[in-house]
Amino acid sequence: MTQAQYLNGLNIVEIGSRISVAVCASLLAEAGAQVFFIEPPEGRGQNGRKWASRGLYAAGKSSVVADSGNAGDRALVSALIAAADVVLISSDVGGAGWGELVAEHGETTIICDFTAFGQTGPMAGKPFGDALVQAMAGVAHTTGFADGPPVTLRVPLLEYSTGTYGASAIIAALMRRDQTGTVERIDMALYDSGVNALATFLPAHFGGKAPMRVGNQHAMCAPWNAYQASDGWVLLCSASNPPWERLCNVMGTPEYATDPRFSELDSRMENRDAVNEIVQNWIGQHSVEEATRLLMAADVACGPILRMEDGVNDANLRHRKMIRHVPDGIGEMRLPGAVLKARRGDGCVAGEIPVANSGHQQAAAFVETVTKTGKQGQSGGADLPLKGIRVLEIGQYTTAPLSTKHLSTLGAEVIKIEPPKGDAARDWLPKNDGLSIFFVMSNAGKTSISLDLKSGEGQRIFTQLLESADIFMENLKPGSIARCGFDADRIAEINPELIYCEISGFGADSAYEERPAFDTVVQAMAGLMSANAADGVPLKSGVSACDFMGGEIGLFFVLAALHNRARSGLGDYLDLSMQDIAVWMTASLWAADTDTQTPNQVLECADGYLCIDSPEPALAGGDMRNMTRAGAILELVKSGIMAAPVQTIAEMLEHGQTDARALMQMHEGPDGQLWPLLGSPMKFTSLQPDIAEVVGWPQKVDAAMRAKLKIGR
């Protein structure tokens, strides 16, 4: 199989100790970049963070062992930084002794710094880990059962999210460097990614309610839950009326589809307990296999809740080669496969784990080559790197809309194509003047048009739009666009230079052909829910982890493909699977000893909960139910234990760190009202992602719109 080389010729130096640094570098390597993996001498500083999974995060990179106190090693690393395009650091954690060396090259090399809170705000510099930032950002508050405590996720979700956003920010900075000669410094924060992950919870706050934990349910949809079958657990999701009607039919209770208590989404939310009881009674009479088979036949999104170790037997993960066994010098190590599946080649993955310092000679040779040839650059160009790029989106809910929203902030023109009835997310509550707050937050900066792709006129207009576009992203059920006459081959015929990215639950090339999926189904079938089980019950992340990570991964690989097209003139077709992405995220837990890991580092206080960074929270914190969170944190700090309050959504929005990072902004809409929009998690020294206008109702493609879109009749 040919491997993708989107970033061939790009050279990265990885120094920081955070997992986000390693994740960013691994994505860049998968897209074809050369990564020099700087690691300390054996036994020095290799505890925790990415070093706890050294094999996973070193795979596909060139290992260079370097001691910051050794003059020869410092000279080599200095030369590598000077010669490289990008250097990755984590200034708040690890990298001791390298900071001054990195700073010396900030005018010629793009520096991307991954920290807990970024370089600004009252929390800047605090070296919090993933769980503590989950607490501060409001993410932990959303995870757990309604009658239980908050739960911190075992998967380092914010490290992975920040590393992925960082990879996209790097491509944007490279484009800006090529266009203008400007060398950016990138400031990435776990906190910023955490706040951006709350898109399904923030609307309730702005609608006047206090978002709370909902267990395995959804904040805006019902039925959506984990249900116990006779021999295991089944996850079921219904986001609109049609799947609810099909579910009622398969359960043998069609009368519930028209029952006023359940016929509409808002009424089902008001009567959610009754809805759950109805579904549980039916699923409880069946085995996992029977229930999923019947539900899938009725086109209802569902899936069995798998353990992480079950992945090797999952038909789709085998089909997509997402679990590999790679030599590590002692035996074999289980690693995830390539997340990128593309027509021009899958992502680059390592055939073995590099031996420590095995890349030393390669690094020395690289330095000599670049020193002789020098770097090439241009001047002039647009302020925003994607100015002049046209993006088409046929997206629904979160995934593709998130990708294209960020493309818009980087300067792209985004045209959102909705069916005549509109994106289903327009129905999600709460609403402001008839518009869904969630929909507006997810689709800022786009031009929305209404198009019937089943009609001849709609297909003609879509063809013209494809001819004019640079990128096309969609996250419909696989086969939906093809049934309208636009499969990947036909789209490539229309526009060979187009980058077409399809994001779905299980991939277009899948053992589960045309299977519908939502975020929680994918969490269930990738081991995420089992990894986060509480009291024996599988538990999803409160935030839609697979949805937004699917959007982030799509954003990165589309930008990488665009970067490649600037050199090659070639478009591509990308087939991304949310299940692949979720399994890729769980890899850091595959070798973990689950018997010795604390599942929930949260303690109850008089005024809420706090999260502590200790392997044995009960022993470290004791009973703090009569203490305030602030008082308890002061006591813990005296013992050398880092702790943070588990902030509610309201507390997070009022915190000075949120304001300092411009993470929640109010923008005027076409109706004159102010709408809440999330600020970009990608921060640069001079490049300012544009949080653009509020999207309104979809417009018909009349003569005026044709002129605006610059397409013929």
Side-chain angles (χ1 to χ4, degrees):
M1 169 64 72
T2 303
Q3 292 189 323
Q5 295 293 324
Y6 292 160
L7 302 181
N8 183 38
L10 185 68
N11 296 285
I12 312 294
V13 177
E14 175 187 343
I15 294 178
S17 295
R18 280 196 175 274
I19 289 173
S20 49
V21 170
V23 167
C24 178
S26 294
L27 285 172
L28 295 168
E30 183 169 332
Q34 169 70 57
V35 176
F36 293 101
F37 182 77
I38 310 300
E39 50 184 324
E42 185 176 358
R44 283 200 203 171
Q46 295 197 33
N47 57 330
R49 309 297 180 181
K50 73 180 185 184
W51 306 116
S53 302
R54 187 264 178 192
L56 169 65
Y57 296 126
K61 303 170 184 177
S62 296
S63 169
V64 179
V65 173
D67 184 344
S68 60
N70 180 284
D73 289 350
R74 288 183 66 84
L76 175 61
V77 173
S78 178
L80 275 174
I81 295 170
D85 297 282
V86 182
V87 60
L88 310 178
I89 63 172
S90 52
S91 62
D92 64 342
V93 171
W98 299 117
E100 292 182 3
L101 208 60
V102 171
E104 291 175 5
H105 302 287
E107 293 185 3
T108 57
T109 301
I110 294 169
I111 299 172
C112 188
D113 190 4
F114 295 86
T115 61
F117 295 100
Q119 301 302 312
T120 55
M123 299 297 291
K126 292 188 180 295
F128 281 10
D130 200 285
L132 294 184
V133 182
Q134 287 181 44
M136 288 294 300
V139 173
H141 175 72
T142 70
T143 302
F145 296 101
D147 56 353
V151 176
T152 56
L153 302 169
R154 287 185 60 216
V155 172
L157 178 63
L158 301 188
E159 294 276 9
Y160 270 77
S161 175
T162 309
T164 305
Y165 273 130
S168 293
I170 285 167
I171 304 300
L174 288 166
M175 290 178 175
R176 181 167 171 80
R177 184 196 68 180
D178 293 343
Q179 293 164 358
T180 69
T182 303
V183 177
E184 296 283 352
R185 184 179 177 116
I186 304 168
D187 176 15
M188 299 301 304
L190 273 65
Y191 185 83
D192 299 3
S193 298
V195 173
N196 268 267
L198 294 167
T200 54
F201 284 86
L202 287 166
H205 171 85
F206 289 105
K209 295 183 178 180
M212 296 299 294
R213 293 178 290 284
V214 292
N216 290 315
Q217 302 186 90
H218 194 284
M220 292 177 281
C221 301
W224 187 302
N225 211 340
Y227 300 96
Q228 193 161 18
S230 61
D231 60 347
W233 293 87
V234 174
L235 199 289
L236 180 149
C237 300
S238 171
S240 59
N241 290 338
W244 167 246
E245 294 166 1
R246 297 193 295 270
L247 175 59
C248 291
N249 288 330
V250 79
M251 291 191 300
T253 54
E255 65 275 14
Y256 287 141
T258 55
D259 189 315
R261 296 173 298 165
F262 313 127
S263 59
E264 298 297 329
L265 181 58
D266 55 354
S267 59
R268 289 195 297 278
M269 288 296 292
E270 291 175 5
N271 297 281
R272 184 156 58 182
D273 290 345
V275 170
N276 282 329
E277 183 178 357
I278 291 167
V279 178
Q280 176 59 64
N281 287 340
W282 181 78
I283 288 182
Q285 301 173 34
H286 298 81
S287 68
V288 170
E289 189 280 329
E290 291 169 340
T292 54
R293 176 173 50 81
L294 292 169
L295 291 168
M296 286 171 59
D299 199 23
V300 175
C302 68
I305 299 179
L306 303 178
R307 301 169 300 170
M308 285 189 294
E309 55 267 35
D310 295 333
V312 293
N313 298 316
D314 181 83
N316 196 52
L317 294 176
R318 290 201 309 270
H319 178 76
R320 292 178 67 85
K321 299 180 175 61
M322 270 311 296
I323 297 178
R324 306 176 300 128
H325 291 86
V326 175
D328 62 0
I330 301 174
E332 286 189 332
M333 182 176 183
R334 185 159 57 122
L335 293 180
V339 174
L340 174 65
K341 306 291 193 297
R343 175 163 292 176
R344 298 193 182 280
D346 292 351
C348 303
V349 292
E352 61 183 7
I353 309 298
V355 174
N357 211 33
S358 57
H360 190 280
Q361 289 186 346
Q362 182 185 6
F366 163 70
V367 167
E368 288 297 319
T369 302
V370 175
T371 300
K372 291 174 182 175
T373 61
K375 293 182 183 177
Q376 301 297 318
Q378 301 179 37
S379 61
D383 288 335
L384 288 171
L386 298 188
K387 185 176 181 181
I389 296 296
R390 170 170 283 189
V391 179
L392 306 182
E393 176 217 308
I394 301 182
Q396 55 185 350
Y397 307 116
T398 298
T399 311
L402 182 143
S403 302
T404 58
K405 180 185 74 171
H406 287 299
L407 291 172
S408 172
T409 69
L410 294 172
E413 173 199 19
V414 178
I415 302 169
K416 182 178 179 70
I417 301 169
E418 299 188 52
K421 292 184 178 180
D423 182 339
R426 286 183 177 273
D427 293 330
W428 282 13
L429 301 174
K431 295 183 178 182
N432 184 359
D433 196 27
L435 273 176
S436 164
I437 297 175
F438 169 82
F439 178 85
V440 170
M441 291 182 71
S442 301
N443 292 282
K446 306 174 186 179
T447 296
S448 178
I449 63 172
S450 176
L451 212 57
D452 182 2
L453 292 183
K454 295 180 181 179
S455 71
E457 177 66 9
Q459 291 173 6
R460 282 191 293 274
I461 294 171
F462 185 51
T463 299
Q464 292 174 325
L465 288 170
L466 286 171
E467 290 171 343
S468 70
D470 300 281
I471 297 167
F472 169 42
M473 301 193 74
E474 54 106 342
N475 68 314
L476 303 181
K477 190 171 71 170
S480 299
I481 298 294
R483 281 191 289 273
C484 296
F486 297 95
D487 62 16
D489 290 337
R490 174 61 183 142
I491 289 173
E493 288 177 5
I494 294 170
N495 185 349
E497 296 183 6
L498 182 75
I499 296 161
Y500 170 23
C501 179
E502 181 175 4
I503 311 172
S504 59
F506 303 101
D509 177 15
S510 172
Y512 304 142
E513 187 175 358
E514 297 193 14
R515 182 173 188 162
F518 286 99
D519 168 88
T520 319
V521 171
V522 178
Q523 288 194 42
M525 295 185 66
L528 278 171
M529 290 181 64
S530 291
N532 206 47
D535 297 325
V537 179
L539 179 64
K540 75 178 183 71
S541 64
V543 296
S544 301
C546 297
D547 272 348
F548 70 72
M549 283 304 299
E552 288 185 38
I553 290 289
L555 172 67
F556 166 66
F557 280 119
V558 160
L559 285 170
L562 191 65
H563 178 78
N564 178 64
R565 195 191 69 169
R567 300 177 301 172
S568 68
L570 299 174
D572 207 351
Y573 165 65
L574 286 62
D575 169 21
L576 301 181
S577 156
M578 290 160 58
Q579 187 189 32
D580 290 357
I581 295 163
V583 166
W584 169 71
M585 287 194 295
T586 67
S588 63
L589 302 180
W590 289 354
D593 184 349
T594 55
D595 293 332
T596 61
Q597 292 206 2
T598 303
N600 192 1
Q601 301 179 357
V602 170
L603 294 176
E604 186 176 3
C605 293
D607 60 345
Y609 294 88
L610 62 81
C611 179
I612 68 174
D613 188 2
S614 171
E616 298 185 40
L619 296 178
D623 189 350
M624 296 185 171
R625 285 174 289 184
N626 294 322
M627 302 177 68
T628 64
R629 289 173 294 176
I633 290 171
L634 286 175
E635 290 299 315
L636 289 166
V637 169
K638 292 178 184 178
S639 302
I641 297 173
M642 286 193 295
V646 177
Q647 297 200 119
T648 64
I649 303 297
E651 288 172 333
M652 176 276 295
L653 290 171
E654 294 170 0
H655 198 282
Q657 190 65 23
T658 304
D659 182 60
R661 305 291 290 178
L663 293 173
M664 185 54 60
Q665 306 175 16
M666 302 302 291
H667 287 253
E668 186 174 328
D671 53 3
Q673 296 192 57
L674 291 177
W675 290 81
L677 299 179
L678 284 160
S680 175
M682 296 179 283
K683 310 291 188 187
F684 307 83
T685 46
S686 60
L687 172 63
Q688 298 297 324
D690 180 24
I691 309 303
E693 62 190 41
V694 172
V695 68
W697 299 103
Q699 303 173 57
K700 293 182 178 180
V701 184
D702 54 17
M705 179 56 69
R706 285 179 179 275
K708 179 179 178 180
L709 300 178
K710 299 178 182 178
I711 59 174
R713 296 198 58 79

